[in-house]
Amino acid sequence: MKYDNINVNSIVGKIIAEKPEYKNFIQDLIKQTQEIIEEVNKLSIEERQKHLERFSQFVKKEVKKEYELSNVKGKVVMRFAPNPSGAMSIGHSRQAIWNDFFVKKYKGTFILRFDDTDPKIKFPEKKFYEWYKEDMEYLNIKIDKTVRQSSRLNIYYKYAEELINREKAYVCTCKEFNKNCPCRKLDYERNLKRWKDMFHKYKEGEAVLRIKTDINHPNPAIRDWIAFRIVNKPKHPYSKNKVWPLLNFASAIDDHDLKVTHILRGIDLKSSVERQNYIYEYFEWKYPETIYTGKLFFKDIKSKSEIKELIKQKKIDGWDDVRLGTIGALYRRGIKAEAIRKFILGLGINRNDIKVDINKLYAFNKEIIDKEANRYFVVFNPSKIKIQGFKPIKVKVPLHPDKKTGSREFTCKNEFYVQDKIYKEELYRFMHLFNFKDGRFTSKDLDKGAKLIHWLPVSKNLVNVEVIMDDNSVIKGLGENNLRKVKVDEIIQMERNFFARLEEKRKDKFIFVYSHR
Ligand SMILES: [Zn+2]
C-alpha cells in the first residue's frame, strides 16, 4: 500500500461521491481532511499499519470485477484480427485471449481473421498464418472460423462499386487530398470507369479510391480517407491482385459481413472507428459494440519491426529466439499456456495503459510447474572435491519433494563435483546425503548450521548439459545420469539453480532452455 502523495481532492471527491449532502460545507470538509492528512503524514509506516488494522472491519473488501459485454442480444460473434506479417507475441495474445474469454463466457463464435491486405510494407508471409493457428491452439483458444481477407477481395470490390454508385466514394488522381479536388465532383459513371481503370490502366501511386467524408473534419487524416490503393508488385503469398483495400475499409466490411457483434480494439485505433462509421452510415448498418483497451507496455520486449530487422542482421536466431516475447519463445522457455492466460486475464481490460511486469508471468508459471517438475542435479562450472571418512554408499533421492513419483539413485565414492566454492573452515551439507567440513565427513544427520549444496558423484555416466539462458548465452555443466529419463519438452528443476525445459537430446549433450528461478 502506498501512503505518500495523498491528495486532498481525491479523498474529498470520494467522500462527496458517497455523501453528496456534504457538498454544502465543502470548505470545512477540505480543511478537516487536510488536517487529518497532515496527522497521518507524521506517522511511521508501522503506526499507519496499526491504525489501518483497527479500521479494517470498516474497509470495504474490493469486489472482484466480473468482466461482461454490454448489449448482448442473441449470439455473440467476436473476431481476433492479426496481421500475419510476423509471429504472435505476448502483447498480441491479449486480444486473442480476451476474445476467447468472452466467446466462451457467452457461448459465442470466435473468428480468426487474417488482416493480410498490405502487400507492400507489412506484407504477410505464409508461415505466420500457420504459426498463429498453432500458437492459439497452444493458448487453448477455440477458433470456430478462419477468414483470410486476401481471399475476400471481390467482396470488397463489390461494396466499393456500391459506394461509387451512391456517389459516396470516388477515384482520386490528385497527389494528395485537397478540398478543391476535381475528381470529387465527377459523377458515378465517370467514377465507375476510373475505378475499372485502377485495375488496368493506372499504376501504383496514380489513383486511389476515397470515401467521401466531412471535408472540414478536424482530423485531416479522416478527411476523404483512402479505401483502396494500387500495388504494382504485391508481396503476397496468396494473391497477385493489383488493387488492395486499406485495413479500415476491409475491416469495416468484414465486421458487418461476418456479423461481428463485439469488437475489442486498442484505444489508439479510435480514429479508425470514426473513419469506418462513414461506411456504416452510408449503408445504414449498425456498428458493433466496441470495447476499447489501453496499451500494454513491456519493458525489453521487441516490436515486430525490430525483430524483423534483427533477424535480417542475423543478430537473433529467429522468431522464437529466447530473448523475444513471442509465444514461440515463451513456449521454448517452458512458459505454460495456463500461466500466460492467467497473466493476461489478470491485467484486465480497460482504457488505461499498463506497464507490464513480466516477472509476474514467471511467478504464475512457477506456481504451475513447481508442482510438476521433477528435480535433478546439474552442476555448472564443476570442480572436483574429495571427501574422506565414509564408506561408498548408494542413496535414493526423491524426484519431487511432495509427489510420490519415484526416486533417483546415486552411487557415491569419495569424489564429487560441486558448483559452489568450498571453504575449509565452513560446514557443508550435501543435499540428501551428509555433512562435511574441510574435506572430511562429519555426520549423516541434518545440521541446521550447515550450508546446503548440491553435488554429483564423479562417474563416467554423467550427462553433458548446456542451457540456453534468457539472454541467449549458453552455460555448460554436468548432469546426473538420471537425466536420461527426461523427455524432450519436459520441464525440470535443476535443484538449487532454476527451472528449464529440455529442448534437444543429442548423443553427446542435452540442451535445455532456461525458464526462471
Ligand atoms: Zn482528386
Side-chain angles (χ1 to χ4, degrees):
M1 181 140 343
K2 265 191 135 178
Y3 299 96
D4 28 42
N5 297 329
I6 300 170
N7 181 345
V8 67
N9 292 331
S10 72
I11 293 180
V12 170
K14 285 219 166 79
I15 296 171
I16 298 290
E18 290 217 348
K19 304 265 178 199
E21 64 272 23
Y22 288 6
K23 253 191 195 159
N24 300 327
F25 41 91
I26 191 145
Q27 290 308 327
D28 283 341
L29 187 63
I30 291 173
K31 201 168 151 253
Q32 282 186 27
T33 310
Q34 190 61 51
E35 281 168 16
I36 294 169
I37 290 174
E38 274 160 24
E39 262 178 59
V40 171
N41 281 343
K42 284 180 203 148
L43 301 175
S44 71
I45 296 275
E46 291 74 25
E47 285 169 322
R48 293 180 196 188
Q49 205 76 49
K50 264 188 202 151
H51 282 287
L52 198 63
E53 273 159 30
R54 267 177 48 216
F55 290 115
S56 64
Q57 54 174 318
F58 304 111
V59 177
K60 271 193 219 154
K61 287 259 156 35
E62 202 178 311
V63 184
K64 201 170 180 290
K65 200 175 153 196
E66 195 47 56
Y67 287 93
E68 281 175 6
L69 293 174
S70 45
N71 278 323
V72 174
K73 293 164 198 142
K75 200 171 175 75
V76 166
V77 180
M78 297 183 76
R79 84 317 196 257
F80 170 54
N83 178 348
S85 61
M88 187 177 190
S89 71
I90 178 102
H92 302 131
S93 80
R94 185 196 199 187
Q95 300 281 19
I97 289 170
W98 273 102
N99 272 303
D100 180 69
F101 170 86
F102 285 123
V103 165
K104 281 177 181 157
K105 178 171 177 153
Y106 292 97
K107 297 187 174 59
T109 302
F110 186 109
I111 300 173
L112 167 61
R113 189 186 81 203
F114 286 113
D115 282 2
D116 60 345
T117 62
D118 179 357
K120 203 172 156 59
I121 312 279
K122 293 180 180 174
F123 55 89
E125 289 178 55
K126 218 168 194 172
K127 63 184 178 200
F128 297 127
Y129 293 82
E130 285 315 307
W131 289 7
Y132 259 100
K133 286 188 197 166
E134 285 169 20
D135 289 348
M136 288 169 74
E137 194 181 327
Y138 179 62
L139 293 174
N140 193 21
I141 291 165
K142 192 177 163 277
I143 302 165
D144 297 301
K145 188 175 180 178
T146 303
V147 178
R148 232 185 333 107
Q149 285 193 325
S150 58
S151 73
R152 296 169 54 80
L153 296 179
N154 286 330
I155 297 172
Y156 309 133
Y157 297 157
K158 192 191 86 189
Y159 282 108
E161 274 168 40
E162 184 56 37
L163 285 172
I164 295 168
N165 279 328
R166 297 183 188 201
E167 298 197 332
K168 297 298 185 193
Y170 63 97
V171 173
C172 177
T173 50
C174 305
K175 275 260 176 289
E176 53 191 34
F177 170 72
N178 66 83
K179 287 175 189 175
N180 303 316
C181 153
C183 327
R184 204 177 198 268
K185 296 177 188 100
L186 298 175
D187 67 9
Y188 72 94
E189 278 175 297
R190 275 305 305 278
N191 267 312
L192 275 181
K193 166 83 178 56
R194 280 157 67 94
W195 166 248
K196 295 264 145 59
D197 285 344
M198 276 181 72
F199 291 80
H200 307 292
K201 198 177 114 194
Y202 294 123
K203 290 196 171 60
E204 188 170 326
E206 289 178 354
V208 294
L209 186 82
R210 291 185 183 277
I211 302 295
K212 279 190 185 169
T213 68
D214 172 3
I215 51 166
N216 295 312
H217 195 285
N219 181 355
I222 290 179
R223 292 174 202 160
D224 283 15
W225 55 274
I226 298 172
F228 285 83
R229 61 170 173 174
I230 298 168
V231 181
N232 279 349
K233 285 185 187 136
K235 288 187 197 165
H236 203 289
Y238 294 112
S239 171
K240 293 294 163 223
N241 280 33
K242 234 181 96 187
V243 178
W244 289 88
L246 276 90
L247 185 57
N248 274 312
F249 188 86
S251 183
I253 299 299
D254 283 341
D255 285 333
H256 171 78
D257 204 53
L258 301 169
K259 301 183 173 57
V260 170
T261 59
H262 294 76
I263 300 173
L264 295 183
R265 176 175 273 141
I267 189 104
D268 50 323
L269 295 175
K270 225 178 163 189
S271 73
S272 48
V273 179
E274 258 190 274
R275 280 178 224 192
Q276 295 179 22
N277 266 329
Y278 281 98
I279 294 175
Y280 276 73
E281 216 177 280
Y282 296 150
F283 285 127
E284 291 171 36
W285 295 340
K286 192 192 162 296
Y287 202 81
E289 286 287 319
T290 307
I291 302 111
Y292 290 103
T293 61
K295 267 196 168 173
L296 300 184
F297 289 98
F298 289 92
K299 208 178 144 243
D300 297 334
I301 283 193
K302 297 197 164 40
S303 73
K304 217 186 251 185
S305 51
E306 284 172 316
I307 297 172
K308 282 201 162 169
E309 193 52 37
L310 288 171
I311 291 176
K312 220 165 116 191
Q313 297 171 2
K314 298 206 161 83
K315 283 189 179 158
I316 55 171
D317 298 337
W319 289 88
D320 60 357
D321 184 288
V322 291
R323 288 164 289 184
L324 302 180
T326 57
I327 301 301
L330 294 172
Y331 173 81
R332 284 185 68 204
R333 288 190 49 189
I335 309 299
K336 296 284 189 179
E338 216 183 315
I340 299 174
R341 286 186 73 104
K342 195 173 169 189
F343 171 70
I344 290 293
L345 292 173
L347 296 172
I349 39 161
N350 53 52
R351 291 176 180 217
N352 301 333
D353 291 344
I354 305 172
K355 269 192 198 145
V356 181
D357 179 6
I358 200 78
N359 289 312
K360 254 192 196 153
L361 172 63
Y362 303 147
F364 286 142
N365 200 57
K366 188 175 176 174
E367 269 174 35
I368 299 165
I369 63 177
D370 193 30
K371 289 180 212 140
E372 307 286 325
N374 284 333
R375 271 58 169 166
Y376 294 95
F377 283 156
V378 175
V379 170
F380 295 99
N381 305 313
S383 56
K384 260 187 209 178
I385 61 162
K386 266 188 185 172
I387 309 290
Q388 311 289 348
F390 77 99
K391 286 183 191 139
I393 45 165
K394 270 190 181 176
V395 281
K396 271 190 177 180
V397 173
L399 273 168
H400 192 281
D402 322 316
K403 270 194 325 177
K404 302 263 176 295
T405 43
S407 53
R408 312 122 67 186
E409 266 184 46
F410 296 90
T411 306
C412 305
K413 291 171 190 158
N414 64 351
E415 266 196 306
F416 296 88
Y417 284 115
V418 291
Q419 181 174 313
D420 305 67
K421 186 159 170 42
I422 302 294
Y423 298 94
K424 263 189 174 181
E425 60 281 8
E426 204 164 334
L427 178 66
Y428 293 92
R429 177 166 183 82
F430 275 157
M431 290 175 84
H432 316 294
L433 199 59
F434 57 63
N435 307 328
F436 68 93
K437 189 176 181 177
D438 194 13
R440 286 202 72 81
F441 169 89
T442 59
S443 78
K444 281 201 81 153
D445 308 323
L446 207 67
D447 187 327
K448 274 193 179 159
K451 188 180 182 234
L452 195 67
I453 60 171
H454 70 295
W455 50 273
L456 284 172
V458 172
S459 125
K460 283 183 202 144
N461 298 325
L462 299 178
V463 178
N464 288 312
V465 168
E466 281 186 14
V467 182
I468 302 167
M469 300 302 288
D470 53 352
D471 62 358
N472 206 41
S473 62
V474 174
I475 59 170
K476 293 180 182 181
L478 289 170
E480 61 182 78
N481 184 33
N482 305 293
L483 276 177
R484 292 178 208 281
K485 288 176 208 145
V486 176
K487 294 185 187 80
V488 168
D489 266 349
E490 190 176 329
I491 297 159
I492 64 161
Q493 189 191 51
M494 299 182 178
E495 276 191 290
R496 290 198 62 245
N497 284 304
F498 41 73
F499 293 91
R501 172 184 149 270
L502 179 56
E503 182 154 85
E504 200 185 340
K505 266 173 148 172
R506 292 196 197 158
K507 257 190 186 156
D508 58 332
K509 64 185 172 194
F510 286 12
I511 300 168
F512 287 85
V513 182
Y514 170 86
S515 302
H516 44 72
R517 294 219 150 247

